[in-house]
Amino acid sequence: MDIRVGGGYSMSNFWFGEGIRKGKKTERFPFAPPEEPPERPSRMEGSGEPYCPTQAIKDGKWDAGRCIFCRFCEPGYTPTGKQDIFKVNRTEPVLKKSFYIYKLDSGACGACNVELETIFDPQYDANRLNIFITNSPRHADAIVVMGVHTDGMKEALKNAYEAMPEPKLIISMGACSISGGIIGESPIGREKYHVEIAGCPPSPYTILEALARARGD
Amino acid sequence: MRYKFGEPSGRYIGHWGKYHVYADSISEIAPDGYNDLPVHKMAPGEFNFQYGPSTGGLMESVGITLTTPGELINSVAVDPSYKARSLKLKGKSIGEALLLVERINGFHAASNSLSFLMAVEDALDLEVTVEVQKARILQLELERIRSNLEVIKRLCEPAGFGVPTNQLGYLREKVSRIISGVAGHRFFFGANAPGCSRVSSSGINEKLSEVGQEFQRLYAGLLESKIFLNRLQNNGVTKDSLLTGPAARASGLRYDSRTVRGELPYMETPFYPVVREEKDCFGRFCVRGEEVLNSIDIIASLGSLKETVRTEIPKGSGEGCARLESPQGDIFYYVQLKNGSIEDLWHVSPGTLNIRAFRESMKGNIFTDFHFNWESFGIWISELGVVIQ
């Protein structure tokens, strides 16, 4: 295969030009509706008591934090495309101008890990909302817990939480982390989370809006 | 069953417990030299540097111990067990087991679930239509495009190469949205069942062609960015032949499960194994880059595919296995069914061989080479840290 950029280019000019040529790719979300919301995960609506392997549907109510969007309940329940499947139990408005999150993979399948990174891609650009990733819990305002409880990560989770300065938020991301999903148990228990971001895995739209709302936006 | 238990036959694929899987057989005999990784004895002045399990530079939780006198890395140990999950698969129906198998590695869910389903079909002697087989190729190649874009993006990141990092992230998200449109889920969860595939390819070729054109320009730019290439060339040179996936093909080995007749009809597509001779990070980068473009051509050749739905999952007994080429390399599933329930199940992840190769190739490098080499193998820990019950 012969692939060339073209004669006469200096590479620094090439990359500068590439940055300009593409133009602005960031969507206006969460200040405007999502441009391409996924069908799943999204808010499910329906009726009846279809079989649900994670008991997300009980007594005619749908629990977003338990749902893994396996389609077992369809067509009784159908996805609506609405991305507002998160719950904020506590907000920290002091973090509005600078919100650093530390991600902790307690026992995730990898899908949540990728979706959390995706919010920093050009379509979403979480940095414009003053949301950043930090590599150390000592610099973190919130810990984002992904995956189920595993014995090997229990101590790492405890140490990371204790190393964080106050005020600090505990954010649960994905069905595994919130309720154990289809695989196991929640790493710290659902009642202890300040923010629940539902989905299996949650879509970048849901993650972005939930993080923004955690600061009281 | 396609594979027979007995003497080793064909190239080595990997192992699960006491079983060693070869291209044509399953054996309890390990290949020569497999268990002979030299044990490093600490020399005066050396110390162990613990990296992980939880740290910002790693995508997943994994414990890495580097033995070093200060700069040179003399030995590396990788412990994928920190986030080991127990999956209760035995006794489950095929449909419920599939929900767990999809989540063994969410980022490569299509590879895992399709390999599992093909093993189930082998056990039950189920015929699969050409339409469904093509739909499976579509899923595997979309997954490969996204995975390879992710690896190349992660190679640019430690170089601080902001423009291509962001633009590759942009393309990866475009592919995720294409997958979402094709399968109704961004990671193919719930898109498959025995003998059927709930995917439709309408209108994707135009979108993929745009991705291909944009990627080709970026790839060409990267191939001429000498400062970036310096970080990859002669970094992480593999010396072993026990390799799989892009790592094998970057070392001159024509190992690719897609060349196997009888699994999926790749020979009717423009597929060709991308083989390079460099053996280093650069070779692995080139293999992945060219595979992105080849996968787009493969998908274009599949034509229009419609959703096929079979509601009833057959109940039967038997044992079967299947092997596919995941973006990391060969992935293998063995299942034993009894009256439609899982009696036994195990799988071979390409990560086993890739971690072995990474450890060997890291010796003699320095810490600043670490991330490039680690990312070039595209290892997913979730697939390795699994206990099947």
Side-chain angles (χ1 to χ4, degrees), chain A residues 3 5 11 15 18 21-22 27 40 51 68 71 102 105 107-109 113 115 118 121 123-124 135 152-153 200, chain B residues 54 56 59 61 82-83 85 96 103 106 161 167 169-170 172-173 177 183-186 189 217 220 224-225 382:
Chain A
I3 299 176
V5 167
M11 286 320 292
W15 289 115
E18 278 297 286
R21 189 177 67 83
K22 290 274 169 64
E27 297 176 14
R40 296 175 198 84
Y51 170 66
I68 59 163
R71 314 185 199 193
Y102 180 73
D105 171 3
C109 71
N113 312 45
E115 293 297 55
T118 302
D121 283 346
Q123 285 93 334
Y124 305 97
N135 289 341
M153 289 305 293
C200 187
Chain B
S54 181
M59 181 64 110
S61 294
Y82 280 96
K83 59 176 266 188
R85 298 167 295 157
E96 288 197 334
R103 287 157 180 84
F161 216 172
Q167 295 198 358
Y170 172 74
R172 187 203 55 186
E173 173 58 10
R177 291 179 181 192
H185 191 282
R186 287 162 62 88
F189 291 176
R217 195 172 162 84
E224 293 195 25
S225 297
S382 53

CSV table of all heavy atoms in Angstrom, one decimal, chain A residues 3 5 11 15 18 21-22 27 40 51 68 71 102 105 107-109 113 115 118 121 123-124 135 152-153 200, chain B residues 54 56 59 61 82-83 85 96 103 106 161 167 169-170 172-173 177 183-186 189 217 220 224-225 382:
chain,number,residue,atom,x,y,z
A,3,ILE,N,0.8,5.0,0.8
A,3,ILE,CA,0.0,6.1,1.3
A,3,ILE,C,1.0,7.3,1.6
A,3,ILE,O,1.9,7.1,2.3
A,3,ILE,CB,-0.7,5.7,2.6
A,3,ILE,CG1,-1.7,4.6,2.3
A,3,ILE,CG2,-1.5,6.9,3.2
A,3,ILE,CD1,-2.4,4.0,3.5
A,5,VAL,N,1.3,11.7,2.4
A,5,VAL,CA,0.6,12.9,2.7
A,5,VAL,C,0.7,13.9,1.5
A,5,VAL,O,-0.3,14.6,1.2
A,5,VAL,CB,1.2,13.6,3.9
A,5,VAL,CG1,0.8,15.0,4.0
A,5,VAL,CG2,0.9,12.8,5.1
A,11,MET,N,5.6,18.4,8.6
A,11,MET,CA,4.6,17.7,9.3
A,11,MET,C,3.9,18.5,10.4
A,11,MET,O,2.8,18.3,10.7
A,11,MET,CB,5.2,16.4,10.0
A,11,MET,CG,5.5,15.3,9.0
A,11,MET,SD,4.3,15.1,7.7
A,11,MET,CE,2.9,14.5,8.6
A,15,TRP,N,-0.2,18.8,10.6
A,15,TRP,CA,-1.1,18.5,11.7
A,15,TRP,C,-1.9,19.8,12.1
A,15,TRP,O,-3.0,19.7,12.5
A,15,TRP,CB,-0.3,17.9,12.9
A,15,TRP,CG,0.1,16.5,12.6
A,15,TRP,CD1,1.4,16.1,12.5
A,15,TRP,CD2,-0.8,15.4,12.4
A,15,TRP,NE1,1.4,14.7,12.2
A,15,TRP,CE2,0.1,14.3,12.1
A,15,TRP,CE3,-2.1,15.2,12.3
A,15,TRP,CZ2,-0.4,13.0,11.8
A,15,TRP,CZ3,-2.6,14.0,12.0
A,15,TRP,CH2,-1.8,12.9,11.8
A,18,GLU,N,-4.6,20.0,9.7
A,18,GLU,CA,-5.6,19.0,9.9
A,18,GLU,C,-6.6,19.5,11.0
A,18,GLU,O,-7.8,19.3,10.9
A,18,GLU,CB,-5.0,17.7,10.3
A,18,GLU,CG,-4.5,16.9,9.2
A,18,GLU,CD,-5.6,16.4,8.3
A,18,GLU,OE1,-6.3,15.5,8.6
A,18,GLU,OE2,-5.7,17.0,7.2
A,21,ARG,N,-8.7,22.2,9.4
A,21,ARG,CA,-9.5,21.8,8.3
A,21,ARG,C,-10.8,21.1,8.7
A,21,ARG,O,-11.8,21.3,8.1
A,21,ARG,CB,-8.7,20.8,7.4
A,21,ARG,CG,-9.3,20.4,6.1
A,21,ARG,CD,-8.3,19.4,5.3
A,21,ARG,NE,-8.2,18.2,6.0
A,21,ARG,CZ,-9.0,17.1,5.9
A,21,ARG,NH1,-10.1,17.3,5.1
A,21,ARG,NH2,-8.8,16.0,6.5
A,22,LYS,N,-10.7,20.3,9.8
A,22,LYS,CA,-11.9,19.6,10.2
A,22,LYS,C,-13.0,20.5,10.8
A,22,LYS,O,-14.1,20.1,10.9
A,22,LYS,CB,-11.5,18.5,11.3
A,22,LYS,CG,-10.7,17.4,10.7
A,22,LYS,CD,-11.5,16.3,10.2
A,22,LYS,CE,-10.8,15.2,9.4
A,22,LYS,NZ,-9.8,14.5,10.2
A,27,GLU,N,-20.8,18.8,19.6
A,27,GLU,CA,-22.3,19.0,19.6
A,27,GLU,C,-22.6,20.0,20.7
A,27,GLU,O,-21.8,20.2,21.7
A,27,GLU,CB,-23.0,17.7,19.8
A,27,GLU,CG,-22.8,16.7,18.7
A,27,GLU,CD,-23.4,15.4,18.9
A,27,GLU,OE1,-24.3,15.3,19.8
A,27,GLU,OE2,-23.1,14.5,18.2
A,40,ARG,N,-30.4,1.9,22.4
A,40,ARG,CA,-30.1,1.3,23.7
A,40,ARG,C,-28.7,1.7,24.1
A,40,ARG,O,-27.8,1.5,23.2
A,40,ARG,CB,-30.2,-0.2,23.7
A,40,ARG,CG,-31.6,-0.7,23.3
A,40,ARG,CD,-31.6,-2.2,23.2
A,40,ARG,NE,-32.8,-2.6,22.4
A,40,ARG,CZ,-33.0,-2.6,21.1
A,40,ARG,NH1,-32.0,-2.2,20.4
A,40,ARG,NH2,-34.1,-2.9,20.6
A,51,TYR,N,-40.6,-11.3,31.6
A,51,TYR,CA,-39.5,-11.9,32.4
A,51,TYR,C,-38.3,-10.9,32.2
A,51,TYR,O,-37.9,-10.5,31.1
A,51,TYR,CB,-39.1,-13.2,31.8
A,51,TYR,CG,-37.8,-13.8,32.3
A,51,TYR,CD1,-37.7,-14.1,33.7
A,51,TYR,CD2,-36.7,-13.9,31.5
A,51,TYR,CE1,-36.5,-14.5,34.2
A,51,TYR,CE2,-35.5,-14.4,32.0
A,51,TYR,CZ,-35.4,-14.7,33.3
A,51,TYR,OH,-34.2,-15.1,33.8
A,68,ILE,N,-30.1,-4.0,31.9
A,68,ILE,CA,-28.9,-4.3,31.1
A,68,ILE,C,-29.3,-4.2,29.6
A,68,ILE,O,-28.5,-4.5,28.8
A,68,ILE,CB,-28.2,-5.6,31.4
A,68,ILE,CG1,-29.2,-6.8,31.3
A,68,ILE,CG2,-27.6,-5.6,32.8
A,68,ILE,CD1,-28.5,-8.1,31.2
A,71,ARG,N,-33.1,-6.9,25.9
A,71,ARG,CA,-34.2,-7.0,25.0
A,71,ARG,C,-35.2,-8.2,25.4
A,71,ARG,O,-36.0,-8.5,24.6
A,71,ARG,CB,-33.7,-7.2,23.5
A,71,ARG,CG,-32.7,-6.2,23.2
A,71,ARG,CD,-32.3,-6.3,21.7
A,71,ARG,NE,-31.0,-5.7,21.5
A,71,ARG,CZ,-30.5,-5.4,20.3
A,71,ARG,NH1,-31.1,-5.7,19.2
A,71,ARG,NH2,-29.3,-4.9,20.2
A,102,TYR,N,-11.9,10.8,39.0
A,102,TYR,CA,-11.0,9.6,39.1
A,102,TYR,C,-11.8,8.4,38.7
A,102,TYR,O,-12.8,8.1,39.4
A,102,TYR,CB,-10.3,9.5,40.4
A,102,TYR,CG,-9.3,8.4,40.5
A,102,TYR,CD1,-8.1,8.5,39.9
A,102,TYR,CD2,-9.6,7.2,41.2
A,102,TYR,CE1,-7.2,7.4,40.0
A,102,TYR,CE2,-8.7,6.2,41.3
A,102,TYR,CZ,-7.5,6.3,40.7
A,102,TYR,OH,-6.6,5.3,40.8
A,105,ASP,N,-12.0,1.1,38.0
A,105,ASP,CA,-12.6,-0.1,37.4
A,105,ASP,C,-12.5,-1.2,38.5
A,105,ASP,O,-11.5,-1.8,38.8
A,105,ASP,CB,-11.7,-0.5,36.2
A,105,ASP,CG,-12.1,-1.8,35.6
A,105,ASP,OD1,-13.0,-2.5,36.1
A,105,ASP,OD2,-11.4,-2.2,34.7
A,107,GLY,N,-14.5,-4.0,38.5
A,107,GLY,CA,-14.7,-5.3,37.8
A,107,GLY,C,-15.6,-5.1,36.6
A,107,GLY,O,-16.7,-5.7,36.5
A,108,ALA,N,-15.1,-4.3,35.7
A,108,ALA,CA,-15.9,-3.9,34.5
A,108,ALA,C,-15.6,-4.8,33.3
A,108,ALA,O,-14.5,-5.3,33.3
A,108,ALA,CB,-15.7,-2.4,34.2
A,109,CYS,N,-16.5,-4.8,32.4
A,109,CYS,CA,-16.2,-5.7,31.2
A,109,CYS,C,-15.4,-4.9,30.1
A,109,CYS,O,-15.0,-5.4,29.1
A,109,CYS,CB,-17.6,-6.1,30.5
A,109,CYS,SG,-18.5,-4.8,29.8
A,113,ASN,N,-15.6,1.5,30.6
A,113,ASN,CA,-14.3,2.2,30.5
A,113,ASN,C,-14.2,3.0,29.3
A,113,ASN,O,-13.7,4.1,29.3
A,113,ASN,CB,-13.1,1.1,30.6
A,113,ASN,CG,-13.3,0.1,31.7
A,113,ASN,OD1,-14.3,-0.4,31.9
A,113,ASN,ND2,-12.2,-0.2,32.4
A,115,GLU,N,-16.7,4.0,27.3
A,115,GLU,CA,-17.7,5.1,27.2
A,115,GLU,C,-17.3,6.3,28.0
A,115,GLU,O,-17.6,7.4,27.7
A,115,GLU,CB,-19.1,4.6,27.6
A,115,GLU,CG,-19.7,3.6,26.6
A,115,GLU,CD,-19.9,4.1,25.2
A,115,GLU,OE1,-19.0,4.6,24.6
A,115,GLU,OE2,-21.0,3.9,24.7
A,118,THR,N,-14.9,8.2,26.1
A,118,THR,CA,-15.6,8.8,24.9
A,118,THR,C,-16.1,10.2,25.2
A,118,THR,O,-16.1,11.0,24.3
A,118,THR,CB,-16.7,7.9,24.4
A,118,THR,OG1,-16.2,6.6,24.2
A,118,THR,CG2,-17.4,8.4,23.2
A,121,ASP,N,-14.0,12.8,23.7
A,121,ASP,CA,-13.8,12.9,22.3
A,121,ASP,C,-14.5,14.1,21.7
A,121,ASP,O,-15.4,14.7,22.4
A,121,ASP,CB,-14.4,11.6,21.6
A,121,ASP,CG,-13.5,10.4,21.8
A,121,ASP,OD1,-12.4,10.6,22.2
A,121,ASP,OD2,-14.0,9.3,21.6
A,123,GLN,N,-16.9,14.9,19.7
A,123,GLN,CA,-18.4,15.0,19.6
A,123,GLN,C,-18.9,15.5,21.0
A,123,GLN,O,-19.9,16.2,21.0
A,123,GLN,CB,-19.0,13.7,19.3
A,123,GLN,CG,-18.9,13.3,17.9
A,123,GLN,CD,-17.7,12.4,17.7
A,123,GLN,OE1,-16.7,12.4,18.4
A,123,GLN,NE2,-17.7,11.5,16.6
A,124,TYR,N,-18.3,15.2,22.1
A,124,TYR,CA,-18.9,15.5,23.4
A,124,TYR,C,-18.0,16.6,24.1
A,124,TYR,O,-18.5,17.5,24.8
A,124,TYR,CB,-18.9,14.2,24.3
A,124,TYR,CG,-19.7,13.1,23.6
A,124,TYR,CD1,-19.1,12.1,22.9
A,124,TYR,CD2,-21.1,13.1,23.6
A,124,TYR,CE1,-19.8,11.1,22.2
A,124,TYR,CE2,-21.8,12.1,22.9
A,124,TYR,CZ,-21.1,11.1,22.3
A,124,TYR,OH,-21.8,10.1,21.6
A,135,ASN,N,-5.4,11.6,37.2
A,135,ASN,CA,-4.7,10.3,37.3
A,135,ASN,C,-4.5,9.9,38.8
A,135,ASN,O,-4.0,8.8,39.1
A,135,ASN,CB,-3.4,10.2,36.6
A,135,ASN,CG,-3.6,10.2,35.1
A,135,ASN,OD1,-4.6,9.9,34.6
A,135,ASN,ND2,-2.5,10.6,34.4
A,152,GLY,N,-10.3,-8.5,44.7
A,152,GLY,CA,-9.0,-7.9,44.4
A,152,GLY,C,-9.0,-6.4,44.4
A,152,GLY,O,-8.0,-5.8,44.7
A,153,MET,N,-10.2,-5.8,44.0
A,153,MET,CA,-10.2,-4.3,43.9
A,153,MET,C,-10.8,-3.6,45.1
A,153,MET,O,-10.9,-2.4,45.2
A,153,MET,CB,-11.0,-3.9,42.7
A,153,MET,CG,-10.2,-4.2,41.4
A,153,MET,SD,-8.6,-3.5,41.3
A,153,MET,CE,-9.0,-1.7,41.2
A,200,CYS,N,-26.0,0.0,30.2
A,200,CYS,CA,-25.1,-1.2,30.2
A,200,CYS,C,-24.4,-1.2,28.8
A,200,CYS,O,-24.8,-2.0,28.0
A,200,CYS,CB,-25.8,-2.5,30.5
A,200,CYS,SG,-24.7,-3.9,30.7
B,54,SER,N,-4.9,0.3,40.0
B,54,SER,CA,-5.8,1.4,39.6
B,54,SER,C,-4.9,2.7,39.4
B,54,SER,O,-4.4,3.2,40.4
B,54,SER,CB,-6.9,1.7,40.6
B,54,SER,OG,-7.7,2.7,40.2
B,56,GLY,N,-4.3,6.2,36.5
B,56,GLY,CA,-4.9,6.9,35.3
B,56,GLY,C,-4.4,6.5,34.0
B,56,GLY,O,-5.1,6.5,33.0
B,59,MET,N,-6.3,1.7,31.0
B,59,MET,CA,-7.7,1.6,30.7
B,59,MET,C,-8.5,0.8,31.8
B,59,MET,O,-9.6,1.1,32.2
B,59,MET,CB,-7.9,1.1,29.3
B,59,MET,CG,-9.3,1.0,28.9
B,59,MET,SD,-10.1,2.6,28.7
B,59,MET,CE,-10.3,2.8,27.0
B,61,SER,N,-8.2,-2.2,35.3
B,61,SER,CA,-7.4,-2.4,36.5
B,61,SER,C,-6.5,-3.7,36.2
B,61,SER,O,-7.0,-4.7,35.9
B,61,SER,CB,-8.3,-2.7,37.7
B,61,SER,OG,-9.0,-1.6,38.0
B,82,TYR,N,-6.6,-8.9,39.6
B,82,TYR,CA,-7.2,-8.0,40.6
B,82,TYR,C,-8.7,-7.8,40.4
B,82,TYR,O,-9.5,-7.7,41.3
B,82,TYR,CB,-6.6,-6.6,40.5
B,82,TYR,CG,-5.2,-6.5,41.2
B,82,TYR,CD1,-4.0,-6.7,40.5
B,82,TYR,CD2,-5.2,-6.2,42.5
B,82,TYR,CE1,-2.8,-6.6,41.2
B,82,TYR,CE2,-4.0,-6.1,43.2
B,82,TYR,CZ,-2.8,-6.3,42.5
B,82,TYR,OH,-1.6,-6.2,43.2
B,83,LYS,N,-9.1,-7.7,39.1
B,83,LYS,CA,-10.6,-7.5,38.8
B,83,LYS,C,-11.2,-8.8,38.4
B,83,LYS,O,-12.2,-8.7,37.6
B,83,LYS,CB,-10.8,-6.3,37.8
B,83,LYS,CG,-10.1,-6.5,36.5
B,83,LYS,CD,-10.4,-5.4,35.6
B,83,LYS,CE,-11.6,-5.7,34.7
B,83,LYS,NZ,-11.9,-4.8,33.6
B,85,ARG,N,-13.6,-11.5,37.8
B,85,ARG,CA,-15.1,-11.6,38.1
B,85,ARG,C,-15.5,-13.1,38.0
B,85,ARG,O,-15.0,-13.8,37.1
B,85,ARG,CB,-15.9,-10.8,37.0
B,85,ARG,CG,-15.6,-9.3,37.0
B,85,ARG,CD,-16.1,-8.7,35.8
B,85,ARG,NE,-15.5,-9.1,34.6
B,85,ARG,CZ,-16.0,-9.0,33.4
B,85,ARG,NH1,-17.2,-8.5,33.2
B,85,ARG,NH2,-15.4,-9.5,32.3
B,96,GLU,N,-29.5,-16.9,28.4
B,96,GLU,CA,-29.0,-16.2,29.6
B,96,GLU,C,-27.5,-16.3,29.7
B,96,GLU,O,-26.8,-15.3,30.1
B,96,GLU,CB,-29.6,-16.8,30.9
B,96,GLU,CG,-31.1,-16.4,31.0
B,96,GLU,CD,-31.7,-16.6,32.4
B,96,GLU,OE1,-31.1,-17.5,33.1
B,96,GLU,OE2,-32.6,-15.9,32.7
B,103,ARG,N,-20.5,-10.0,28.1
B,103,ARG,CA,-19.9,-9.1,29.0
B,103,ARG,C,-18.5,-9.6,29.6
B,103,ARG,O,-18.0,-9.1,30.5
B,103,ARG,CB,-20.8,-8.8,30.2
B,103,ARG,CG,-22.0,-7.9,29.8
B,103,ARG,CD,-23.2,-7.9,30.6
B,103,ARG,NE,-24.2,-7.0,30.1
B,103,ARG,CZ,-25.1,-7.3,29.1
B,103,ARG,NH1,-25.0,-8.5,28.5
B,103,ARG,NH2,-26.0,-6.4,28.7
B,106,GLY,N,-16.7,-6.5,27.0
B,106,GLY,CA,-17.7,-5.7,26.4
B,106,GLY,C,-17.2,-5.0,25.1
B,106,GLY,O,-18.0,-4.8,24.2
B,161,PHE,N,0.4,13.5,21.2
B,161,PHE,CA,0.1,13.9,19.8
B,161,PHE,C,-1.4,14.3,19.7
B,161,PHE,O,-2.3,13.4,19.4
B,161,PHE,CB,0.4,12.7,18.9
B,161,PHE,CG,0.9,13.0,17.6
B,161,PHE,CD1,1.4,12.0,16.8
B,161,PHE,CD2,1.0,14.3,17.1
B,161,PHE,CE1,2.0,12.3,15.5
B,161,PHE,CE2,1.5,14.6,15.9
B,161,PHE,CZ,2.0,13.6,15.1
B,167,GLN,N,-8.7,13.3,16.6
B,167,GLN,CA,-9.4,12.9,15.4
B,167,GLN,C,-9.7,11.4,15.3
B,167,GLN,O,-10.7,11.0,14.7
B,167,GLN,CB,-8.6,13.4,14.2
B,167,GLN,CG,-8.6,15.0,14.2
B,167,GLN,CD,-8.2,15.6,12.9
B,167,GLN,OE1,-7.9,14.9,11.9
B,167,GLN,NE2,-8.2,16.9,12.8
B,169,GLY,N,-10.2,9.6,18.0
B,169,GLY,CA,-11.4,9.5,18.9
B,169,GLY,C,-12.7,9.9,18.2
B,169,GLY,O,-13.7,9.2,18.4
B,170,TYR,N,-12.6,10.9,17.4
B,170,TYR,CA,-13.8,11.3,16.6
B,170,TYR,C,-14.3,10.2,15.7
B,170,TYR,O,-15.4,9.8,15.6
B,170,TYR,CB,-13.5,12.6,15.8
B,170,TYR,CG,-14.5,13.0,14.9
B,170,TYR,CD1,-15.7,13.6,15.3
B,170,TYR,CD2,-14.4,12.8,13.5
B,170,TYR,CE1,-16.7,14.0,14.5
B,170,TYR,CE2,-15.3,13.2,12.6
B,170,TYR,CZ,-16.5,13.8,13.1
B,170,TYR,OH,-17.5,14.2,12.2
B,172,ARG,N,-13.5,7.0,16.0
B,172,ARG,CA,-14.0,5.8,16.7
B,172,ARG,C,-15.4,6.0,17.2
B,172,ARG,O,-16.2,5.1,17.1
B,172,ARG,CB,-13.1,5.6,18.0
B,172,ARG,CG,-13.4,4.3,18.7
B,172,ARG,CD,-12.9,4.4,20.2
B,172,ARG,NE,-13.5,5.6,20.8
B,172,ARG,CZ,-13.2,6.0,22.0
B,172,ARG,NH1,-12.3,5.3,22.7
B,172,ARG,NH2,-13.8,7.0,22.6
B,173,GLU,N,-15.8,7.2,17.6
B,173,GLU,CA,-17.1,7.5,18.0
B,173,GLU,C,-18.1,7.4,16.8
B,173,GLU,O,-19.2,6.9,16.9
B,173,GLU,CB,-17.2,8.8,18.7
B,173,GLU,CG,-18.6,9.3,19.0
B,173,GLU,CD,-19.4,8.4,19.9
B,173,GLU,OE1,-18.9,7.4,20.5
B,173,GLU,OE2,-20.7,8.6,20.0
B,177,ARG,N,-21.3,4.9,16.6
B,177,ARG,CA,-22.7,5.3,16.2
B,177,ARG,C,-23.2,4.4,15.0
B,177,ARG,O,-24.4,4.1,14.9
B,177,ARG,CB,-22.7,6.8,15.8
B,177,ARG,CG,-22.5,7.6,17.1
B,177,ARG,CD,-22.5,9.1,16.8
B,177,ARG,NE,-22.3,9.9,18.0
B,177,ARG,CZ,-22.5,11.2,18.1
B,177,ARG,NH1,-22.9,11.9,17.0
B,177,ARG,NH2,-22.3,11.8,19.2
B,183,ALA,N,-26.9,-2.4,14.9
B,183,ALA,CA,-27.2,-3.5,15.9
B,183,ALA,C,-28.2,-3.1,17.0
B,183,ALA,O,-28.6,-3.9,17.8
B,183,ALA,CB,-25.9,-4.1,16.5
B,184,GLY,N,-28.5,-1.8,17.1
B,184,GLY,CA,-29.4,-1.4,18.1
B,184,GLY,C,-28.7,-1.2,19.5
B,184,GLY,O,-29.4,-0.9,20.5
B,185,HIS,N,-27.4,-1.4,19.5
B,185,HIS,CA,-26.6,-1.2,20.7
B,185,HIS,C,-25.2,-0.9,20.3
B,185,HIS,O,-24.7,-1.5,19.4
B,185,HIS,CB,-26.7,-2.5,21.6
B,185,HIS,CG,-26.1,-2.3,22.9
B,185,HIS,ND1,-24.8,-2.3,23.2
B,185,HIS,CD2,-26.8,-2.2,24.1
B,185,HIS,CE1,-24.6,-2.1,24.5
B,185,HIS,NE2,-25.8,-2.0,25.1
B,186,ARG,N,-24.6,0.0,21.1
B,186,ARG,CA,-23.2,0.4,20.7
B,186,ARG,C,-22.2,-0.7,20.9
B,186,ARG,O,-21.0,-0.5,20.4
B,186,ARG,CB,-22.8,1.7,21.5
B,186,ARG,CG,-23.6,2.9,21.1
B,186,ARG,CD,-23.6,4.0,22.2
B,186,ARG,NE,-22.2,4.5,22.5
B,186,ARG,CZ,-21.6,5.5,21.8
B,186,ARG,NH1,-22.3,6.1,20.9
B,186,ARG,NH2,-20.4,5.9,22.2
B,189,PHE,N,-24.6,-5.7,22.2
B,189,PHE,CA,-25.3,-6.5,23.2
B,189,PHE,C,-26.7,-6.8,22.7
B,189,PHE,O,-27.4,-5.9,22.3
B,189,PHE,CB,-25.4,-5.8,24.6
B,189,PHE,CG,-24.0,-5.6,25.3
B,189,PHE,CD1,-24.0,-4.9,26.5
B,189,PHE,CD2,-22.9,-6.2,24.8
B,189,PHE,CE1,-22.8,-4.7,27.1
B,189,PHE,CE2,-21.7,-6.0,25.5
B,189,PHE,CZ,-21.6,-5.3,26.6
B,217,ARG,N,-6.1,9.6,5.5
B,217,ARG,CA,-5.3,10.8,5.6
B,217,ARG,C,-4.5,10.9,6.9
B,217,ARG,O,-3.4,11.3,6.9
B,217,ARG,CB,-6.3,12.0,5.5
B,217,ARG,CG,-5.7,13.3,5.2
B,217,ARG,CD,-6.7,14.4,4.9
B,217,ARG,NE,-6.1,15.7,5.0
B,217,ARG,CZ,-5.3,16.2,4.0
B,217,ARG,NH1,-5.2,15.7,2.9
B,217,ARG,NH2,-4.8,17.4,4.2
B,220,ALA,N,-1.7,8.3,6.9
B,220,ALA,CA,-0.6,8.8,6.1
B,220,ALA,C,0.2,9.8,6.8
B,220,ALA,O,1.5,9.9,6.8
B,220,ALA,CB,-1.1,9.4,4.8
B,224,GLU,N,4.3,9.6,8.3
B,224,GLU,CA,5.4,10.6,8.0
B,224,GLU,C,5.8,11.4,9.2
B,224,GLU,O,6.6,12.3,9.0
B,224,GLU,CB,5.0,11.4,6.8
B,224,GLU,CG,4.8,10.6,5.6
B,224,GLU,CD,4.7,11.4,4.3
B,224,GLU,OE1,5.2,12.6,4.3
B,224,GLU,OE2,4.1,11.0,3.3
B,225,SER,N,5.3,11.1,10.4
B,225,SER,CA,5.7,11.9,11.5
B,225,SER,C,6.8,11.2,12.3
B,225,SER,O,6.6,10.3,13.1
B,225,SER,CB,4.4,12.1,12.5
B,225,SER,OG,3.4,12.8,11.8
B,382,SER,N,-10.3,-7.6,31.0
B,382,SER,CA,-11.6,-8.2,31.4
B,382,SER,C,-11.7,-9.6,30.9
B,382,SER,O,-12.3,-10.4,31.6
B,382,SER,CB,-12.7,-7.3,30.9
B,382,SER,OG,-12.5,-7.1,29.5
